[in-house]
Amino acid sequence: MTVDLSDAQIAQFHEDGFLILNRLIAPEDAARVAARFEGLFRGRFETGLYPDEWNWQEGRDSPDRTRQICNGWKSDHTVAGLVLRAEIGRLCATLAGWPGARIAQDNVIWKPPGAKPLGFHQDNSYNAWIVPAEMLTCWIALDPTSAAGGTIEYVRGSHRWGRYPPIAQFHAPEDYRKELAAAAAEVGRTPEIVPVEVPAGGCAFHHGWTWHGSDRNRADRPRRSAVAHCMSSDARFHTTEVSYIYSRYKRVGDDSMDESFFPVLWTREGYRTAWLDDYMCRGSAAGRSLNYLAAGD
Ligand SMILES: O=C(O)CCC(=O)C(=O)O
């Protein structure tokens, strides 16, 4: 898969702070990634490694919570086969104006019918540990999405509203638009909320300062997504700002990012972390799925 972004689409991204595409991957490939979710949330990790964050576990957490795993790529080759693709890195770097892109973090998100919202926030509020402190994200729908089904929602133009701190409660807040409403009041704007309604395999890119969140799933089908949060290929660790999870990968006295933990997906110069393509092909769900996902078709 290659996606040619037109100048108009790139301009639209800069204007709106997001860009929605109806097709990034084939629906059957989206279904192959979605088929991994059940095992992952039950703790079946084919690589033997825990993901960096495992926010919902079968039997431990309430069924009305939206389920999230961060850095599922470390635990599952099929997830890796999607979120570590060169093309995703190329598109994120192109939109961000970076020389290339590394994965900062992936998200595996499963919102069953009835599951509660995720609060509106700005991703870059959580990125002080990175220099430059910015991400650009590719959010991929693995099911057809709808406003009623709790899809991701963006606020048009909100990447220009300024920088706000992390929100009080990300998972299942009482009012998922609370901090957004406060920010909008401060800048004197009425938020124009755009729900991302795409077929399975569609996607949306968003700027790190764009306000986004998602409502309860009021539909009768699950909403599953895979998200690649990218950072610049040149990114380094901040020497004093600490992420309690991700700064664990920083070596003492060294601010460089190790490609074992933050692999480079793509650079303009033609560089890509050497082990990625082999790693993406190793899954137990291999065969057809990984032929497709790893080949960069
Ligand atoms: O999928 C969602 O509901 C929210 C995801 C999100 O916060 C993100 O992709 O940055």
Side-chain angles (χ1 to χ4, degrees):
M1 169 218 56
T2 51
V3 174
D4 287 319
L5 293 178
S6 66
D7 290 346
Q9 284 174 308
I10 295 172
Q12 191 79 50
F13 173 83
H14 291 297
E15 182 64 22
D16 292 342
F18 60 88
L19 178 70
I20 300 172
L21 303 181
N22 273 326
R23 182 168 169 128
L24 179 73
I25 60 171
E28 49 281 22
D29 296 305
R32 287 184 192 116
V33 179
R36 307 298 296 164
F37 278 39
E38 193 127 345
L40 278 167
F41 284 95
R42 290 201 166 137
R44 279 191 236 122
F45 301 133
E46 73 180 339
T47 62
L49 285 182
Y50 268 39
D52 282 313
E53 298 179 62
W54 184 12
N55 294 319
W56 188 93
Q57 295 181 27
E58 181 87 43
R60 186 195 72 177
D61 295 307
S62 167
D64 67 359
R65 290 291 179 117
T66 296
R67 307 163 186 197
Q68 185 189 37
I69 277 175
C70 303
N71 281 346
W73 72 262
K74 295 183 180 177
S75 307
D76 191 86
H77 295 289
T78 305
V79 171
L82 175 57
V83 299
L84 303 180
R85 291 169 70 151
E87 184 63 0
I88 289 177
R90 184 182 74 81
L91 292 165
C92 288
T94 302
L95 290 170
W98 296 326
R102 287 176 191 263
I103 194 78
Q105 185 195 101
D106 75 33
N107 298 158
V108 171
I109 298 180
W110 182 5
K111 192 184 284 187
K116 290 183 172 170
L118 298 179
F120 264 84
H121 63 282
Q122 294 173 298
D123 289 340
N124 281 350
S125 316
Y126 300 85
N127 289 336
W129 60 282
I130 307 170
V131 179
E134 54 188 37
M135 283 178 179
L136 196 140
T137 295
C138 177
W139 182 96
I140 304 157
L142 304 179
D143 295 298
T145 59
S146 66
T151 190
I152 191 168
E153 302 170 5
Y154 294 126
V155 180
R156 200 187 300 281
S158 58
H159 58 309
R160 291 191 299 259
W161 287 9
R163 304 172 177 205
Y164 290 83
I167 62 173
Q169 190 179 336
F170 182 77
H171 290 278
E174 203 56 50
D175 173 3
Y176 80 113
R177 294 183 180 174
K178 184 171 156 213
E179 284 90 349
L180 166 66
E186 203 173 304
V187 295
R189 308 292 285 266
T190 304
E192 182 189 347
I193 294 183
V194 181
V196 174
E197 298 188 300
V198 290
C203 78
F205 294 89
H206 64 256
H207 188 283
W209 288 110
T210 300
W211 280 93
H212 60 285
S214 61
D215 199 359
R216 177 190 289 271
N217 184 352
R218 298 172 202 282
D220 56 5
R221 58 184 307 162
R223 191 222 92 182
R224 289 165 296 185
S225 329
V227 183
H229 293 290
C230 290
M231 56 186 164
S232 172
S233 51
D234 283 349
R236 304 185 80 79
F237 282 103
H238 196 283
T239 50
T240 53
E241 293 285 347
V242 171
S243 156
Y244 71 100
I245 297 174
Y246 298 99
S247 300
R248 290 184 299 193
Y249 299 109
K250 180 182 177 305
R251 286 181 292 255
V252 175
D254 180 354
D255 66 357
S256 67
M257 293 214 173
D258 190 317
E259 289 178 42
S260 298
F261 311 112
F262 302 102
V264 175
L265 308 189
W266 178 90
T267 72
R268 246 188 266 141
E269 310 271 277
Y271 182 78
R272 175 167 164 83
T273 294
W275 51 266
L276 278 179
D277 291 325
D278 174 57
Y279 180 80
M280 289 160 66
C281 291
R282 263 191 242 152
S284 53
R288 291 171 311 136
S289 80
L290 294 161
N291 287 340
Y292 175 88
L293 290 169
D297 52 301

